[in-house]
Amino acid sequence: MLDGMLVLGGGVLLLAVLLFLLATLARMRRELVTLRASEALFRRLTEDVSDVIWRADRNLFITYINPTDEKLRGFRADEVIGHHVFEMFTDEGIATVTKLIQQRQEREAGGTISGAVTFEVQHRCKDGRLLWGEVLSKPERDAHGRITGYHGISRETTERKRLQDQIQQLAFYDPLTGLPNRRLLEDRLGQSLASSRRTGVFGALLFLDLDNFKPLNDLHGHEAGDLLLIEAARRLKAGVRETDTVARFGGDEFVVIIRELDRDPAVSREQVATIAEKLRGRLAEPYRLSVEHGGLAGQEIEHRCSASIGIRVFIGNGVDPDEILKQADLAMYEAKDAGRNTVRFFSPPAETV
């Protein structure tokens, strides 16, 4: 009888286990159905949006990306998943992201936990095009605060970037020559003065006025004059370093800022004198201008036009930028009074330059 009770008890226990397993399987099935429904909903939502939704592991390898990326850049999901995010960006974009990562690491090493970041970089397309995209990236963390991955949204901003660049071009650059205008010149001069003050190295400002410009306008019209100004701007830019600034001050006047000459004022003066003579010589070479409109359409005009140049060598010790411009302008008029096509320095009494 005892054996029968044990068998019966074992059967009840087995039945209870089976019922528990069946209930567990039923629950898991319901959860699986719910999960699949959620995944289907997530897929529909992400596939229909116009932004790129992505996810990456802690080493920045893509683990998920929605189909919008294929519409924008031309890459299928299977051509992106498993690849590093840097493959999406240009070298400049990679440098931007690398810097952001380093900044995050530095902050978190100091105990500051960082959240989402937004940045704008160029993205590579399958057909070789480049497009601008704004990226919102947020880190994923475990219970200990360690980063386990990233997720985010990327949105194309090519047109917005183009409009921003156009607005900046109109605000800070001369529409005819493409050179910095007076507004940007003032900013560059302020930067040069600050750099000179910090390093103790002299800089210089050259004020140039074209000597024989008005007769060209009067004789052949403004189109010929514009062509000459464009060519003069090109010659000036070709005659200085990329770190220097060539700006159109207005009309037929140009300004050149020469940065980082020398700590010795006499040496700086010699250096800028050499540069000024080179620019003077370039501007004095004959101009051959092909006019496309008016009575001279299709003809080439040859014109000679020299420049008078005034120079103000400076050190950034509290001098006023407007004064530097005025003093270089005065030196330029001295060059004109000396017969034009020449160079003159302005030397403040309080300075040995």
Side-chain angles (χ1 to χ4, degrees):
M1 182 175 179
L2 180 60
D3 291 341
M5 291 177 66
L6 290 172
V7 172
L8 180 60
V12 172
L13 179 61
L14 180 59
L15 179 59
V17 171
L18 289 173
L19 290 173
F20 174 77
L21 290 175
L22 287 172
T24 301
L25 288 172
R27 188 181 73 253
M28 291 176 65
R29 183 179 180 184
R30 289 195 300 273
E31 291 175 351
L32 182 59
V33 170
T34 302
L35 179 62
R36 286 176 175 172
S38 298
E39 289 178 343
L41 176 60
F42 175 76
R43 190 176 299 109
R44 287 197 301 273
L45 290 174
T46 59
E47 288 179 359
D48 291 339
V49 297
S50 58
D51 296 333
V52 177
I53 298 174
W54 54 268
R55 193 173 185 181
D57 63 19
R58 65 188 304 270
N59 296 313
L60 297 181
F61 285 91
I62 298 293
T63 59
Y64 170 79
I65 196 161
N66 70 337
T68 305
D69 187 57
E70 183 176 358
K71 298 174 186 176
L72 289 177
R73 299 193 308 123
F75 291 99
R76 300 188 312 272
D78 61 357
E79 296 176 302
V80 178
I81 293 174
H83 291 256
H84 201 277
V85 296
F86 282 0
E87 295 182 31
M88 293 183 176
F89 306 141
T90 61
D91 291 343
E92 292 80 3
I94 293 171
T96 297
V97 176
T98 300
K99 184 177 180 179
L100 288 170
I101 293 172
Q102 291 172 345
Q103 290 173 345
R104 182 194 296 278
Q105 291 171 343
E106 291 170 1
R107 286 194 299 268
E108 300 202 354
T112 302
I113 302 301
S114 302
V117 295
T118 302
F119 54 92
E120 194 171 31
V121 292
Q122 279 190 304
H123 292 63
R124 297 187 182 279
C125 298
K126 194 170 184 177
D127 61 5
R129 291 180 300 114
L130 296 176
L131 59 83
W132 282 94
E134 183 180 73
V135 181
L136 170 67
S137 175
K138 186 175 183 179
E140 299 173 354
R141 301 179 185 273
D142 61 18
H144 302 287
R146 293 185 293 257
I147 293 178
T148 58
Y150 302 85
H151 67 269
I153 298 174
S154 301
R155 173 173 298 173
E156 185 183 8
T157 57
T158 304
E159 181 62 16
R160 186 182 78 183
K161 181 70 173 175
R162 185 188 69 79
L163 291 174
Q164 288 175 343
D165 291 345
Q166 188 176 46
I167 291 170
Q168 184 182 34
Q169 185 74 21
L170 291 171
F172 295 106
Y173 291 87
D174 172 50
L176 176 65
T177 63
L179 295 178
N181 60 17
R182 189 182 301 200
R183 184 178 179 184
L184 184 54
L185 167 67
E186 292 171 354
D187 180 71
R188 296 276 179 86
L189 180 55
Q191 292 179 20
S192 299
L193 287 168
S195 174
S196 176
R197 180 170 57 251
R198 185 175 60 255
T199 62
V201 175
F202 281 84
L205 185 140
L206 285 66
F207 203 109
L208 302 91
D209 183 87
L210 301 180
D211 294 323
N212 193 32
F213 177 74
K214 189 174 182 299
L216 174 68
N217 260 352
D218 294 342
L219 185 61
H220 298 298
H222 289 289
E223 183 184 358
D226 288 348
L227 290 173
L228 188 141
L229 291 173
I230 292 169
E231 174 60 16
R234 187 196 67 77
R235 294 182 186 184
L236 287 171
K237 278 186 65 70
V240 297
R241 303 163 300 182
E242 289 188 8
T243 54
D244 301 324
T245 295
V246 178
R248 185 183 177 196
F249 196 72
D252 60 344
E253 295 177 331
F254 297 87
V255 171
V256 180
I257 300 173
I258 305 296
R259 300 184 61 170
E260 300 178 356
L261 290 168
D262 196 89
R263 291 179 181 274
D264 184 280
V267 173
S268 298
R269 189 182 177 101
E270 291 176 4
Q271 290 175 339
V272 72
T274 300
I275 294 170
E277 281 298 328
K278 180 173 70 173
L279 295 179
R280 188 193 60 76
R282 284 174 176 266
L283 293 174
E285 293 174 2
Y287 292 82
R288 293 178 175 84
L289 312 170
S290 299
V291 179
E292 297 180 358
H293 304 93
L296 296 174
Q299 298 183 33
E300 185 178 81
I301 300 169
E302 181 171 323
H303 185 75
R304 290 185 176 274
C305 185
S306 59
S308 297
I309 304 175
I311 303 174
R312 168 62 157 97
V313 178
F314 61 80
I315 190 78
N317 54 359
V319 289
D320 182 74
D322 288 337
E323 280 301 306
I324 289 176
L325 279 165
K326 291 176 182 177
Q327 292 164 354
D329 188 28
L330 287 173
M332 181 271 293
Y333 277 106
E334 289 181 9
K336 280 192 176 295
D337 291 342
R340 304 187 177 190
N341 191 25
T342 190
V343 177
R344 287 293 183 271
F345 281 85
F346 180 89
S347 298
E351 297 184 17
T352 57
V353 296

